[in-house]
Amino acid sequence: MSIEKKPGKIAQRLVLSALRAFLQSRSQIKVVRNDTVGLKPPYLILANHVTNWDPFYINCYVDEPISFVTGASLFRNPWLAKLLNYTGAIPKMKNKNDTRTIRSMIKAKQSGRVIGLFPEGNRNWDGTTEPLFYSTAKLVKLLDVPVVIATISGGHLSSPRWAENPRRGPIHLSFEKKWDVAALANHTPDEIHHLLTEALAHDDAEWQSQTGAAYYGKAPAHYLERLLFICPHCEVPGRLRSEQDLFGCTACGYTVRYTPQGKFAQFTHPLRFSTTRDWNRWQLERLNQVMQEPEQLASWEPVMQDPVHMYVSEGEKPFQSLGTGRLHWNADQADSLTFQGDHGQAYSFPFGELEGINVQLHHKFEFYVGDKLYRFLFYQPRTSAYKWLKFITALEQHFTRH
């Protein structure tokens, strides 16, 4: 299949019926609003991005096969590429301008397809919608089709990006037709970006506080150190560890309990933050402060080194292994990353050459250098790829300002 040719109705219904039954066996799914009923394509669905299952949550309740804009790196897997091409998926290089994606979306419009897009570009980590790519506003203006805003509530709490195991609990879906054809024709991209940001804003912690939803699963705090990497009590980075429903600092003993409501309860010291959202906001602010303090920044050197398996893909070829070793950052070469291989090979990556920095799933750290895509797979399960993403982003911003 392709963008021009939709999957057959019978095949679509069989697959989606099976998927719907599977998803409903895992979660209590409720569609609270669905403006796509009777809506004729082409139109655009924009959604918040909280789980790996989001495209399926959406397509299971939309009576049209959706051409989702999908990370280009997924197409480097030959078997997955066949499935994505069958459904009419549109490849997009993350965090990079890609004119091919624009041309494919125009083709999808001309072919009467429903186009699905996650404007955050990646799953968010704490249940709060992250800043949207500005290019989405330009695409909305260019395509000039009806726009449906899909909101997934409870998805983050049922399957946090940092977690190993899913939790059983409610997920609410809403499909609201926000704008019709030509409704935004006289708006500037800045105005459209502002409207999209407002429309897609969602906070799972706030939604949980309003609904009282609870989520039950095995070892609920397990691998929370993939998200949270600075202790709020002693402010030492890289010493947090999870065990069952407990999460604490091995440096000072500060420990909290993670509850079915997705909140923290006091276990040892007085509670600093009640949600992962608030803890994460604080640690990112603290990280930005560290960038202004040379002695503090230098103390991060032991934290910023982790064992990895390194891969590279040139053009659109499958990934090739470059071996195992350690990815590290040194204070005396603060504007670059280094990979030191177990067999002596070494690579240096100046920040000025890096493009499209992102994290795939929870443990694959990626960036482009020219037309080469480098992937660092953190194979030790407690390693935080999110830490690397935010540390490097903060450093880049610091060097840009100075």
Side-chain angles (χ1 to χ4, degrees):
M1 298 293 173
S2 65
I3 292 173
E4 296 96 330
K5 188 175 181 181
K6 302 177 185 179
K9 281 287 187 182
I10 294 177
Q12 178 194 353
R13 286 170 181 166
L14 286 173
V15 171
L16 292 183
S17 293
L19 269 172
R20 192 181 299 116
F22 171 72
L23 294 174
Q24 289 174 341
S25 72
R26 290 163 46 103
S27 303
Q28 304 153 22
I29 300 175
K30 180 180 180 182
V31 179
V32 297
R33 176 172 180 166
N34 194 349
D35 293 350
T36 69
V37 176
L39 184 60
K40 301 298 182 184
Y43 60 88
L44 181 64
I45 296 180
L46 305 179
N48 63 322
H49 200 4
V50 286
T51 80
N52 289 331
W53 295 97
D54 292 350
F56 304 107
Y57 286 135
I58 293 170
N59 214 158
C60 278
Y61 299 94
V62 174
D63 192 29
E64 281 284 336
I66 301 174
S67 287
F68 279 103
V69 178
T70 307
S73 62
L74 296 178
F75 286 81
R76 288 176 167 82
N77 181 314
W79 295 103
L80 186 55
K82 289 182 179 179
L83 175 61
L84 292 171
N85 287 325
Y86 176 81
T87 61
I90 299 170
K92 168 73 170 73
M93 290 188 290
K94 292 195 174 183
N95 298 348
K96 287 191 72 175
N97 291 326
D98 190 350
T99 57
R100 178 183 58 175
T101 303
I102 298 172
R103 292 195 301 270
S104 295
M105 293 178 77
I106 293 173
K107 184 186 294 184
K109 172 189 172 180
Q110 294 169 343
S111 302
R113 298 297 301 265
V114 177
I115 304 167
L117 180 63
F118 299 100
E120 294 166 90
N122 220 321
R123 290 176 61 188
N124 61 59
W125 285 84
D126 62 10
T128 306
T129 303
E130 295 194 348
L132 312 183
F133 282 118
Y134 185 80
S135 57
T136 305
K138 296 180 179 179
L139 280 170
V140 167
K141 189 174 180 67
L142 174 67
L143 291 173
D144 192 22
V145 293
V147 178
V148 173
I149 300 296
T151 304
I152 304 170
S153 303
H156 165 76
L157 292 167
S158 71
S159 184
R161 186 170 182 178
W162 48 265
E164 191 77 359
N165 303 308
R167 301 100 204 277
R168 294 183 62 85
I171 293 178
H172 290 182
L173 306 176
S174 170
F175 301 89
E176 180 183 0
K177 182 183 174 186
K178 200 74 175 177
W179 297 285
D180 213 329
V181 175
L184 300 173
N186 296 323
H187 289 68
T188 65
D190 282 351
E191 291 169 338
I192 296 173
H193 180 70
H194 178 72
L195 291 170
L196 293 178
T197 298
E198 285 188 334
L200 284 158
H202 178 73
D203 184 338
D204 247 17
E206 182 64 28
W207 178 83
Q208 189 283 327
S209 294
Q210 295 171 0
T211 61
Y215 299 81
Y216 297 92
K218 181 181 178 182
H222 209 38
Y223 295 143
L224 189 47
E225 58 267 47
R226 292 171 178 170
L227 167 64
L228 302 174
F229 49 85
I230 305 179
C231 174
H233 183 257
C234 67
E235 300 192 359
V236 171
R239 297 290 297 274
L240 293 161
R241 291 294 180 271
S242 58
E243 186 67 35
Q244 297 299 318
D245 63 345
L246 297 180
F247 184 60
C249 178
T250 59
C252 69
Y254 177 83
T255 303
V256 296
R257 187 184 298 279
Y258 188 81
T259 72
Q261 289 72 34
K263 297 182 182 296
F264 294 124
Q266 180 178 337
F267 188 76
T268 55
H269 304 66
L271 197 64
R272 283 293 310 277
F273 304 108
S274 61
T275 65
T276 58
R277 174 201 62 196
D278 294 342
W279 190 330
N280 186 39
R281 286 177 179 172
W282 170 82
Q283 76 174 0
L284 296 181
E285 290 175 1
R286 180 68 191 114
L287 188 57
N288 285 325
Q289 292 170 2
V290 165
M291 299 299 149
Q292 316 299 324
E293 306 166 6
E295 290 184 5
Q296 283 288 324
L297 183 57
S299 72
W300 275 69
E301 190 170 318
V303 180
M304 300 308 297
Q305 52 176 309
D306 286 302
V308 296
H309 195 144
M310 180 177 172
Y311 298 86
V312 66
S313 170
E314 190 165 1
E316 296 184 0
K317 297 177 182 178
F319 281 102
Q320 299 294 319
S321 171
L322 295 179
T324 58
R326 297 188 75 82
L327 182 67
H328 59 91
W329 170 83
N330 295 321
D332 57 352
Q333 295 178 316
D335 61 348
S336 65
L337 291 179
T338 303
F339 170 80
Q340 184 64 53
D342 292 335
H343 300 290
Q345 67 272 44
Y347 295 83
S348 180
F349 301 100
F351 290 164
E353 298 179 5
L354 309 187
E355 292 186 276
I357 301 174
N358 73 93
V359 174
Q360 290 282 339
L361 301 177
H362 60 77
H363 64 307
K364 299 174 182 179
F365 178 62
E366 297 181 345
F367 52 74
Y368 288 90
V369 177
D371 66 345
K372 291 183 178 179
L373 176 60
Y374 290 91
R375 170 177 285 178
F376 300 88
L377 189 152
F378 296 105
Y379 54 82
Q380 292 186 347
R382 295 183 185 274
T383 306
S384 173
Y386 182 73
K387 170 193 69 178
W388 283 91
L389 175 68
K390 293 303 181 181
F391 184 84
I392 293 171
T393 301
L395 262 181
E396 285 183 321
Q397 292 173 349
H398 173 71
F399 289 133
T400 299
R401 290 192 297 266
H402 296 81

